[in-house]
Amino acid sequence: MKKTILTLMMLAVAVVTAGAQSYRGVHQYDGEHKNEVSGYFTGGDNVVSGKFFGFEASYRRHLADRWYVGGDTQMQFWKQLYSFDATGGYCLPVKFGHLYFDGKLMINRYQRWGFTETVFNLSATWESAYFDMRIGESLIHFRSSKWGEKYGYTEPLTLTFGMGVNIRHRTNPWNIGLYARNYDDYYYENWNINWGIRWYANINRQMRLFGEFNVRPAGSISQLASRYEGSMRIGMKYKW
Amino acid sequence: MAALAAGALCTSCDKVSPQGVLMAGTAVEDRVKMSHLYYKEYLNDYEMNLDTKNVQDGEYTFLVGADSHITDDPGRLDEMLKIGLDGDDLLYAHLGDIADTKPEYYIVLDSALQKAKERFVRKNYVQNEYGRWRHKNNPYDIIGWDYNEIHFPFFPVVGNHDLTHNGWAMWCSLFHSSFYEFDVCVGTYDDGRGTVYDHFIFLDTASGTLGKTQIDLINQGVLDGNYFNEETGGFQFYRHTFVFSHTNIFRPSSMQFASTFSREETFFLLNQFEEWNASIVFCGHVHAWDEREYNKVNYLTLDSMSERNSPKPGDYLLRVHVHKDGSLTWERVHMDYVAQK
């Protein structure tokens, strides 16, 4: 009972004070379930597009103990951003945590401005009891509908990096933590480093609530890192 | 400790004040509001800044430099100002990070600009028998009694290093506005359609974002220029539009870690440049040369002209030639100055 009350309090605090994005938690395959589906609601305020909200959905299929594949999609209204991706990964258990290697191929359509972005990312994540970090590289290409098929801009390789810390061991049924990173579920950037609060809370063995409150500045610290976008996300994950 | 770490991360230079980096200052929203108020009040000053005797039959040149990061040695800026004066350039444009993270460097900067103005005035102006200033080549173009009414045609945008020591107070005391536009009259259409102008737009991108106020003003058309000239009763047309921004759009290589705009703002700006029918967009910030063209808009990113970032002589400046027939060419201009040991 005490645990339930505490969990509900955490949820209430997190929902009210935080928001969310997608801290589903990175989890080694437990050998029992094969499928994971999750989704979240997102809303926020962006300097260019103003207020926006949207929905996201994800699916993961565990092919074996260490291998998985999946796909994600989102729609953000007002910003008119539509995305989908295909992803796959491998988990290597190590003594002090786990190493994950994953790849993602993603397409974003920024309908409001008529741009289509194609992104390929390869990353490695190290997850320990309380701390996780991620490093990788992204190849980003974008083009405008007005530029024609032949023209587009391929950015030089963009470093992907991020880290997070939790207040409780990662195997606990609820957790809350802080993070900083230069990417999000559907974009990879240069030195515009997001930061925020993340949390999750298991409802039962199959369902998890999760969320994030994300602050996305424009510019690096030497550019004063001005406010660019604030957003919240809250979602649910179900495995079977 | 945090200040030291931030200083080391941001600049790695002993001439930078770590405290200054943290004690940032005026954010983009306030800068743009201040700039826009000033710009509305003193719009004519921007046009008066130009000695258009150098525009002959619509032909002229202008000189662009970036990231001078002046500390106590203004050598490279002095050289830029001399090159412009010797080359009879219509105007100078500076792409930001003009001085670096300590207030006293603005005294060095101000002194360099004042000396250049003196040379500019000696070359182009003379006082008549009543003590009034006029252009040397045009006895009827009388400026006034006051030397201060002669404007030195130096047009900067603000850069992030111009801010990171509460430097906005220093920067705007010299340059007043970080968000403005002006026209250069280059002739009239033979068919009576009106006056032809070239259009210069200066954006405040020092913080890596335009900010909500600036985006709203752009969406309201504040920088679009005046298409109907009430004085002449005719329409004016833009032959070329040149846009100046500190933060770069494109990264020259993966090793350039300077931050660019976020995704949505990049796409917003690329569309806006096309809407303005921009001929060239000039950027700085990243300290590396880059040149590309999309949908008839040329994007030129300039290397740093600072003697600390680019110690060896090199082609750090850019001179744009606007030709009589309306065509554009540009050349990179060599700088020889090497810092004294």
Short mmCIF file of all heavy atoms in Angstrom, two decimals, chain B residues 39 48 61-62 78 81 114 135 148 171 205 222 228 230 240 251 257 270 299 306 326 332:
data_model
loop_
_atom_site.label_atom_id
_atom_site.label_comp_id
_atom_site.label_asym_id
_atom_site.label_seq_id
_atom_site.Cartn_x
_atom_site.Cartn_y
_atom_site.Cartn_z
N TYR B 39 15.94 51.19 -34.66
CA TYR B 39 15.86 51.16 -36.12
C TYR B 39 14.66 51.97 -36.63
O TYR B 39 14.76 52.73 -37.59
CB TYR B 39 15.76 49.69 -36.54
CG TYR B 39 15.27 49.43 -37.92
CD1 TYR B 39 16.10 49.60 -39.02
CD2 TYR B 39 13.97 48.99 -38.13
CE1 TYR B 39 15.63 49.34 -40.30
CE2 TYR B 39 13.50 48.73 -39.40
CZ TYR B 39 14.33 48.91 -40.47
OH TYR B 39 13.88 48.67 -41.73
N MET B 48 21.68 57.15 -44.68
CA MET B 48 22.65 58.24 -44.76
C MET B 48 24.07 57.75 -44.59
O MET B 48 25.03 58.41 -44.96
CB MET B 48 22.37 59.28 -43.67
CG MET B 48 21.23 60.22 -44.00
SD MET B 48 20.72 61.11 -42.53
CE MET B 48 22.23 61.91 -42.06
N THR B 61 31.19 47.88 -55.11
CA THR B 61 31.72 46.72 -54.38
C THR B 61 31.48 46.92 -52.88
O THR B 61 31.33 48.05 -52.43
CB THR B 61 33.24 46.55 -54.59
OG1 THR B 61 33.90 47.72 -54.11
CG2 THR B 61 33.58 46.33 -56.05
N PHE B 62 31.45 45.85 -52.16
CA PHE B 62 31.48 45.95 -50.70
C PHE B 62 32.32 44.82 -50.12
O PHE B 62 32.54 43.79 -50.76
CB PHE B 62 30.07 46.00 -50.09
CG PHE B 62 29.21 44.80 -50.33
CD1 PHE B 62 29.17 43.76 -49.41
CD2 PHE B 62 28.40 44.70 -51.46
CE1 PHE B 62 28.36 42.65 -49.61
CE2 PHE B 62 27.58 43.60 -51.67
CZ PHE B 62 27.57 42.58 -50.75
N ASP B 78 42.19 46.78 -38.56
CA ASP B 78 42.81 47.95 -39.23
C ASP B 78 43.07 47.64 -40.70
O ASP B 78 42.82 48.46 -41.58
CB ASP B 78 44.15 48.31 -38.55
CG ASP B 78 43.93 49.00 -37.21
OD1 ASP B 78 42.83 49.51 -36.99
OD2 ASP B 78 44.89 49.00 -36.40
N LEU B 81 39.84 47.62 -42.71
CA LEU B 81 39.34 48.97 -42.95
C LEU B 81 40.18 49.69 -44.00
O LEU B 81 39.66 50.44 -44.82
CB LEU B 81 39.31 49.74 -41.62
CG LEU B 81 38.38 49.14 -40.56
CD1 LEU B 81 38.58 49.81 -39.21
CD2 LEU B 81 36.92 49.24 -41.00
N GLN B 114 37.37 54.74 -35.11
CA GLN B 114 37.50 56.20 -35.18
C GLN B 114 38.64 56.61 -36.11
O GLN B 114 38.51 57.54 -36.90
CB GLN B 114 37.73 56.78 -33.77
CG GLN B 114 36.52 56.71 -32.86
CD GLN B 114 35.28 57.37 -33.46
OE1 GLN B 114 35.36 58.36 -34.18
NE2 GLN B 114 34.13 56.78 -33.21
N HIS B 135 30.77 66.24 -49.63
CA HIS B 135 31.55 65.28 -50.41
C HIS B 135 32.52 66.03 -51.30
O HIS B 135 32.19 67.08 -51.87
CB HIS B 135 30.63 64.44 -51.30
CG HIS B 135 29.80 63.47 -50.53
ND1 HIS B 135 30.33 62.37 -49.94
CD2 HIS B 135 28.48 63.46 -50.25
CE1 HIS B 135 29.38 61.70 -49.33
NE2 HIS B 135 28.24 62.34 -49.49
N ASN B 148 30.35 64.48 -36.61
CA ASN B 148 29.63 63.26 -36.23
C ASN B 148 28.48 62.94 -37.17
O ASN B 148 27.93 61.84 -37.13
CB ASN B 148 29.09 63.39 -34.80
CG ASN B 148 30.23 63.37 -33.80
OD1 ASN B 148 31.25 62.71 -34.02
ND2 ASN B 148 30.07 64.13 -32.73
N TRP B 171 28.51 46.69 -27.16
CA TRP B 171 28.27 46.55 -28.60
C TRP B 171 27.22 47.56 -29.07
O TRP B 171 27.43 48.26 -30.07
CB TRP B 171 27.82 45.12 -28.90
CG TRP B 171 27.86 44.75 -30.36
CD1 TRP B 171 28.87 44.12 -31.01
CD2 TRP B 171 26.84 44.97 -31.35
NE1 TRP B 171 28.57 43.95 -32.34
CE2 TRP B 171 27.32 44.46 -32.57
CE3 TRP B 171 25.58 45.56 -31.32
CZ2 TRP B 171 26.57 44.52 -33.75
CZ3 TRP B 171 24.84 45.62 -32.50
CH2 TRP B 171 25.34 45.10 -33.68
N THR B 205 21.53 36.77 -34.95
CA THR B 205 21.53 35.31 -34.77
C THR B 205 22.60 34.89 -33.76
O THR B 205 23.00 33.73 -33.73
CB THR B 205 21.78 34.59 -36.11
OG1 THR B 205 23.07 35.00 -36.61
CG2 THR B 205 20.73 34.92 -37.14
N VAL B 222 8.74 43.23 -41.58
CA VAL B 222 9.52 44.40 -41.17
C VAL B 222 10.80 44.54 -42.00
O VAL B 222 11.26 45.65 -42.27
CB VAL B 222 9.86 44.29 -39.65
CG1 VAL B 222 10.98 45.22 -39.26
CG2 VAL B 222 8.61 44.61 -38.84
N PHE B 228 6.71 50.55 -52.03
CA PHE B 228 6.13 51.77 -52.62
C PHE B 228 6.81 52.97 -51.98
O PHE B 228 6.80 53.13 -50.76
CB PHE B 228 4.62 51.83 -52.37
CG PHE B 228 3.98 53.01 -53.02
CD1 PHE B 228 3.75 53.02 -54.39
CD2 PHE B 228 3.64 54.14 -52.28
CE1 PHE B 228 3.16 54.13 -54.99
CE2 PHE B 228 3.05 55.24 -52.88
CZ PHE B 228 2.81 55.24 -54.25
N GLU B 230 6.80 56.60 -51.11
CA GLU B 230 5.81 57.67 -51.04
C GLU B 230 6.38 59.00 -51.54
O GLU B 230 5.66 59.83 -52.08
CB GLU B 230 5.31 57.83 -49.61
CG GLU B 230 4.42 56.66 -49.19
CD GLU B 230 3.93 56.80 -47.77
OE1 GLU B 230 4.24 57.80 -47.13
OE2 GLU B 230 3.22 55.88 -47.32
N HIS B 240 19.05 43.10 -55.99
CA HIS B 240 19.70 42.06 -55.19
C HIS B 240 19.31 42.25 -53.73
O HIS B 240 19.15 43.39 -53.28
CB HIS B 240 21.22 42.14 -55.30
CG HIS B 240 21.74 41.77 -56.65
ND1 HIS B 240 21.63 40.49 -57.15
CD2 HIS B 240 22.38 42.50 -57.59
CE1 HIS B 240 22.17 40.45 -58.36
NE2 HIS B 240 22.63 41.66 -58.65
N ARG B 251 27.45 23.52 -42.13
CA ARG B 251 28.73 23.23 -41.48
C ARG B 251 29.73 22.75 -42.52
O ARG B 251 29.44 21.81 -43.27
CB ARG B 251 28.55 22.12 -40.44
CG ARG B 251 28.16 22.64 -39.08
CD ARG B 251 28.26 21.54 -38.05
NE ARG B 251 27.48 20.38 -38.41
CZ ARG B 251 27.85 19.13 -38.14
NH1 ARG B 251 28.98 18.89 -37.53
NH2 ARG B 251 27.08 18.12 -38.48
N PHE B 257 32.74 22.29 -34.71
CA PHE B 257 31.77 22.00 -33.66
C PHE B 257 30.89 23.20 -33.31
O PHE B 257 30.09 23.12 -32.39
CB PHE B 257 32.49 21.50 -32.41
CG PHE B 257 33.10 20.15 -32.62
CD1 PHE B 257 34.48 19.98 -32.58
CD2 PHE B 257 32.31 19.06 -32.87
CE1 PHE B 257 35.04 18.73 -32.77
CE2 PHE B 257 32.86 17.80 -33.08
CZ PHE B 257 34.23 17.64 -33.02
N LEU B 270 15.86 29.03 -44.43
CA LEU B 270 16.10 28.72 -45.85
C LEU B 270 14.92 29.17 -46.71
O LEU B 270 15.11 29.72 -47.80
CB LEU B 270 16.37 27.22 -46.02
CG LEU B 270 17.72 26.74 -45.46
CD1 LEU B 270 17.77 25.21 -45.43
CD2 LEU B 270 18.88 27.27 -46.29
N TYR B 299 25.16 30.76 -50.48
CA TYR B 299 25.47 30.80 -49.05
C TYR B 299 26.99 30.80 -48.90
O TYR B 299 27.66 29.83 -49.24
CB TYR B 299 24.88 29.58 -48.35
CG TYR B 299 23.38 29.56 -48.40
CD1 TYR B 299 22.71 28.97 -49.46
CD2 TYR B 299 22.62 30.16 -47.40
CE1 TYR B 299 21.32 28.96 -49.53
CE2 TYR B 299 21.23 30.16 -47.46
CZ TYR B 299 20.59 29.56 -48.52
OH TYR B 299 19.22 29.56 -48.59
N SER B 306 40.48 36.80 -37.42
CA SER B 306 41.23 37.08 -36.19
C SER B 306 42.66 36.56 -36.29
O SER B 306 42.90 35.45 -36.77
CB SER B 306 40.53 36.40 -35.01
OG SER B 306 41.42 36.21 -33.95
N GLY B 326 23.98 44.02 -63.43
CA GLY B 326 23.26 43.33 -62.37
C GLY B 326 23.88 42.00 -61.97
O GLY B 326 23.45 41.39 -60.99
N ARG B 332 37.86 36.38 -52.80
CA ARG B 332 38.39 36.38 -51.44
C ARG B 332 39.61 37.29 -51.42
O ARG B 332 40.43 37.28 -52.34
CB ARG B 332 38.72 34.96 -51.02
CG ARG B 332 37.44 34.11 -50.96
CD ARG B 332 37.72 32.68 -50.70
NE ARG B 332 38.18 32.47 -49.33
CZ ARG B 332 38.62 31.31 -48.87
NH1 ARG B 332 38.69 30.26 -49.67
NH2 ARG B 332 39.01 31.19 -47.62
#
